[in-house]
Amino acid sequence: MKKLIAGNWKMNLDIGEAVKLIDQLTAELNDYDFEKADILVCPNFTCLYPVHELLKDSQILLGAQNMYHETEGAYTGETSGSMLKAVGCSYVILGHSERRKYFGETDEFINLKISKAQSYDLIPILCVGESLEERESDRHFEVVKSQLLKSLSGLDKDEVLKTTVAYEPVWAIGTGKNATSSEAQEMHKFIRDEVISGIVGDGSKSIRILYGGSLNENVSEELLSQPDIDGGLIGGASLKFGSFTKIIRSIK
Ligand code: PGA
């Protein structure tokens, strides 16, 4: 499957900084063979439009970091799926562990957003992953399965097939301690063969499952060459164009 390398910029980079990073990325990836991987950047909302303008002649894709599940109306501070579409987004990250932790997002709430995103033809990147305590008490498979089933509940097969999953163990995010390739591969295989295949059968083979959590240029080749790891969701290292492009170029 063609890999996806996605940069999650989180609440970093103002417009000037974002423009600079995109200029560097587009120059560096000028000769890149985009048949090898899809490349996606997910800036904060204020940078979506300027980044969209800069990416018009590029194959780099644009995504958002969040979205609200209502169509429009009196929801101060929120952004709708149609607004994201209008600014050129093709992806939206949903259910990131930081949204779950700091903003109280539940699987049920994330489920509403996923189905709304689908209705706008935005590809949701559904983030799941266990905490350190859940892994240490050997509950990581159960936790991830429950997050997936609840977040995908009620979606039809086609919608599930159009969803990208990101396995991001919470203990690996921003800590510098990535999951080992065998830990990640084991969970990705579980997600594909034990959870998603229960919903879409053989179609699970075509679902992209990204790994995220301290993914950097030193470990990317090893992680991204695992059979069930279809790409990466990259935070810190996506802010440095040298690191991000090295990760991209580590895909053979
Ligand atoms: P990190 O973040 O690469 O900085 O660990 C990944 C993410 O949260 O998506």
Side-chain angles (χ1 to χ4, degrees):
M1 182 183 331
K2 188 175 179 184
K3 299 233 189 300
L4 170 65
I5 300 297
N8 173 12
W9 293 1
K10 308 193 180 186
M11 199 175 75
N12 295 297
L13 309 186
D14 61 21
I15 292 179
E17 293 162 332
V19 165
K20 186 170 168 215
L21 179 56
I22 291 295
D23 281 345
Q24 289 171 321
L25 273 181
T26 46
E28 171 69 23
L29 295 175
N30 198 21
D31 65 341
Y32 186 66
D33 174 9
F34 283 85
E35 289 305 309
K36 284 192 179 164
D38 288 324
I39 312 299
L40 170 70
V41 290
C42 302
N44 73 67
F45 288 116
T46 67
C47 293
L48 286 173
Y49 186 70
V51 170
H52 163 69
E53 289 289 299
L54 288 173
L55 292 181
K56 270 190 175 149
D57 298 321
S58 159
Q59 294 185 63
I60 299 174
L61 302 165
L62 184 65
Q65 300 173 17
N66 189 24
M67 188 200 99
Y68 197 52
H69 66 276
E70 294 290 352
T71 306
E72 63 180 356
Y75 304 103
T76 301
E78 293 299 324
T79 305
S80 73
S82 66
M83 291 167 184
L84 297 184
K85 263 318 248 199
V87 77
C89 290
S90 47
Y91 283 80
V92 58
I93 300 171
L94 294 173
H96 191 280
S97 67
E98 287 148 16
R99 303 254 7 130
R100 295 173 189 261
K101 179 175 171 197
Y102 300 122
F103 305 98
E105 293 199 8
T106 61
D107 294 316
E108 290 71 19
F109 186 53
I110 294 158
N111 175 245
L112 295 174
K113 297 184 182 204
I114 293 201
S115 61
K116 194 67 174 182
Q118 296 279 3
S119 75
Y120 289 110
D121 230 7
L122 284 162
I123 302 173
I125 301 181
L126 164 60
C127 302
V128 295
E130 81 285 357
S131 66
L132 185 59
E133 191 246 312
E134 287 160 346
R135 179 164 277 265
E136 284 176 345
S137 56
D138 214 17
R139 284 162 46 227
H140 43 302
F141 292 114
E142 170 200 326
V143 166
V144 167
K145 180 174 183 175
S146 160
Q147 289 173 336
L148 284 166
L149 292 182
K150 288 183 187 160
S151 307
L152 296 172
S153 158
L155 268 70
D156 62 33
K157 274 191 181 183
D158 246 28
E159 291 173 327
V160 174
L161 287 172
K162 281 193 224 142
T163 302
T164 291
V165 173
Y167 169 57
E168 299 207 306
V170 178
W171 47 271
I173 297 177
T175 58
K177 185 183 183 302
N178 58 278
T180 64
S181 53
S182 58
E183 284 168 338
Q185 165 57 26
E186 183 186 33
M187 181 60 87
H188 282 228
K189 190 167 169 47
F190 171 79
I191 291 172
R192 192 185 310 283
D193 294 352
E194 306 288 327
V195 188
I196 304 290
S197 74
I199 314 173
V200 297
D202 248 17
S204 67
K205 292 194 177 72
S206 69
I207 292 235
R208 262 182 180 155
I209 308 175
L210 311 180
Y211 168 77
S214 297
L215 186 50
N216 62 56
E217 66 272 33
N218 301 319
V219 294
S220 58
E221 187 169 348
E222 163 83 9
L223 276 159
L224 298 174
S225 60
Q226 300 303 309
D228 286 291
I229 301 185
D230 308 311
L233 182 56
I234 297 139
S238 73
L239 299 171
K240 295 173 262 174
F241 90 97
S243 301
F244 194 55
T245 50
K246 275 187 193 144
I247 294 171
I248 293 167
R249 291 190 189 277
S250 72
I251 293 172
K252 297 295 171 242

